[in-house]
Amino acid sequence: KNEVEQSPQNLTAQEGEFITINCSYSVGISALHWLQQHPGGGIVSLFMLSSGKKKHGRLIATINIQEKHSSLHITASHPRDSAVYICAESSLRDDKIIFGKGTRLHILP
Amino acid sequence: EADIYQTPRYLVIGTGKKITLECSQTMGHDKMYWYQQDPGMELHLIHYSYGVNSTEKGDLSSESTVSRIRTEHFPLTLESARPSHTSQYLCASSVAGNYGYTFGSGTRLTVV
């Protein structure tokens, strides 16, 4: 069983919609990561957070340590946001990252 | 602007060939990682290094080997490629203490 669960697995939305992707994890973490992977495979690190909330442009990431849950929000979504969004945790046990399976987001123009 | 470079970007190679996937970073990061990712699946750690002359196997069994002779360079070698090695291989680096990771663009390997 993957220790990092994401939902939904796939999401299609219209341009302009507010997008939420959820992530749940089961073990104590030192940090929670949100990554973006475009077709072609390159990965970009969007956020790393251990508490509270972070914002970068139209992207917002939140984390609730007590509930072991994080969300990634995209405001005013755009077709160029279409990508796979991956949640990952850095475990307290070691420095290695455990990845979720990703959420495939498709924004229609 | 990428600070971690992987080459080649794409590689098609015959069964039995020896191949080396290159990964270099210019950030002086101590930690480097190799991940394997099959299409539509999550990334799995196959090797990692905490510094020069340090290499460890990851969570996913792999027939590849790595070396870390220089801080900036972390090549991955397959001595005898097989079709089961067809996958995407992603290199990443980080500073000590989990202060964020930087990923390379990946090498998409096809073994025929």
Side-chain angles (χ1 to χ4, degrees), chain A:
Chain A
K1 182 181 181 297
N2 199 332
E3 294 178 3
V4 178
E5 298 285 344
Q6 286 185 237
S7 63
Q9 288 187 328
N10 295 282
L11 178 58
T12 298
Q14 290 294 138
E15 183 174 357
E17 285 189 41
F18 181 81
I19 303 298
T20 295
I21 299 170
N22 296 300
C23 175
S24 297
Y25 54 93
S26 57
V27 297
I29 62 167
S30 59
L32 192 290
H33 306 262
W34 281 102
L35 310 165
Q36 181 192 56
Q37 186 172 31
H38 276 287
I43 290 180
V44 174
S45 179
L46 298 175
F47 296 103
M48 186 183 73
L49 65 166
S50 54
S51 65
K53 175 179 170 179
K54 286 190 175 180
K55 185 175 188 293
H56 185 256
R58 295 180 294 107
L59 300 176
I60 303 166
T62 63
I63 189 168
N64 184 318
I65 300 294
Q66 287 74 30
E67 294 184 6
K68 294 186 170 61
H69 180 268
S70 176
S71 293
L72 176 70
H73 305 286
I74 305 174
T75 61
S77 59
H78 190 276
R80 64 174 176 267
D81 297 326
S82 299
V84 176
Y85 292 84
I86 302 169
C87 173
E89 62 168 26
S90 301
S91 171
L92 278 174
R93 294 193 302 262
D94 51 44
D95 289 329
K96 291 180 281 186
I97 300 182
I98 301 169
F99 293 89
K101 292 187 176 182
T103 294
R104 191 172 301 273
L105 175 65
H106 187 203
I107 304 296
L108 300 171

Side-chain angles (χ1 to χ4, degrees), chain A residues 2 30-31 33 35 37 40-43 45 48 86 90 94-97 99-101 104, chain B residues 9 31 33 35 37 40 42-43 45 48 50 59 88 90 98-101 103-105 108:
Chain A
N2 199 332
S30 59
H33 306 262
L35 310 165
Q37 186 172 31
I43 290 180
S45 179
M48 186 183 73
I86 302 169
S90 301
D94 51 44
D95 289 329
K96 291 180 281 186
I97 300 182
F99 293 89
K101 292 187 176 182
R104 191 172 301 273
Chain B
R9 186 79 176 85
K31 297 181 181 179
Y33 312 82
Y35 294 93
Q37 185 184 33
E42 64 265 44
L43 289 87
L45 180 67
Y48 61 102
Y50 286 158
D59 303 316
Q88 175 162 251
L90 283 147
N98 278 325
Y99 290 114
Y101 291 77
F103 284 85
S105 298
R108 195 171 294 276

Side-chain angles (χ1 to χ4, degrees), chain B residues 83-105:
Chain B
S84 60
H85 296 139
T86 295
S87 189
Q88 175 162 251
Y89 294 84
L90 283 147
C91 181
S93 70
S94 70
V95 296
N98 278 325
Y99 290 114
Y101 291 77
T102 303
F103 284 85
S105 298

Side-chain angles (χ1 to χ4, degrees), chain B residues 13-104:
Chain B
I13 199 164
T15 298
K17 298 289 187 184
K18 177 180 178 179
I19 55 170
T20 296
L21 309 184
E22 302 288 349
C23 177
S24 296
Q25 49 97 5
T26 58
M27 299 167 285
H29 286 173
D30 291 321
K31 297 181 181 179
M32 295 188 75
Y33 312 82
W34 275 104
Y35 294 93
Q36 185 174 345
Q37 185 184 33
D38 292 326
M41 301 300 289
E42 64 265 44
L43 289 87
H44 291 285
L45 180 67
I46 51 175
H47 295 283
Y48 61 102
S49 167
Y50 286 158
V52 171
N53 294 325
S54 151
T55 62
E56 302 286 345
K57 286 191 179 293
D59 303 316
L60 183 68
S61 174
S62 173
E63 293 160 350
S64 57
T65 59
V66 292
S67 63
R68 190 88 183 276
I69 299 171
R70 303 197 317 265
T71 298
E72 61 271 20
H73 195 213
F74 191 41
L76 181 144
T77 298
L78 279 166
E79 291 293 334
S80 179
R82 294 209 304 268
S84 60
H85 296 139
T86 295
S87 189
Q88 175 162 251
Y89 294 84
L90 283 147
C91 181
S93 70
S94 70
V95 296
N98 278 325
Y99 290 114
Y101 291 77
T102 303
F103 284 85

